[in-house]
Amino acid sequence: MAMSQSNIPPESGSDTETPSLKLAKEYLSLGGRRRSKIDDNITSVRQWEEDPPEAERFWQERVETLSKDKRKQVKDFLPTINTP
């Protein structure tokens, strides 16, 4: 299986990060395992393995509670399962 690509900009600085990028980075830093799938500009999330409890709690409390549009923005920053 090919390595997942990350949608997180490599040179992101904290002063220029969007709230969505910050949430995605924090989720991933907690060991989050969800991956985005982008097809025809429709973003969905795939999860084959359970998240560590801290990452799952973060996702449920900080991401799932967002509006649909803001939640999509966070998902867009997750590593993708799409091939380049």
Side-chain angles (χ1 to χ4, degrees):
M1 182 157 85
M3 297 269 303
S4 294
Q5 286 188 322
S6 174
N7 293 329
I8 296 175
E11 297 177 12
S12 56
S14 60
D15 57 334
T16 60
E17 291 179 354
T18 65
S20 300
L21 175 57
K22 288 179 183 178
L23 286 172
K25 288 177 80 172
E26 187 169 351
Y27 166 74
L28 293 171
S29 75
L30 294 169
R33 297 185 175 120
R34 287 172 171 87
R35 299 295 177 253
S36 68
K37 179 178 185 295
I38 303 170
D39 188 22
D40 292 333
N41 287 333
I42 298 172
T43 303
S44 59
V45 171
R46 301 286 193 261
Q47 184 178 16
W48 291 274
E49 300 176 45
E50 284 188 30
D51 280 339
E54 300 83 14
E56 181 63 29
R57 186 171 31 257
F58 182 87
W59 186 268
Q60 295 302 322
E61 294 175 359
R62 304 280 307 277
V63 179
E64 285 296 328
T65 57
L66 296 171
S67 69
K68 182 179 176 181
D69 290 338
K70 291 186 187 227
R71 197 167 49 244
K72 180 193 179 303
Q73 291 173 9
V74 173
K75 292 175 182 178
D76 286 343
F77 285 116
L78 295 177
T80 180
I81 65 171
N82 298 57
T83 55

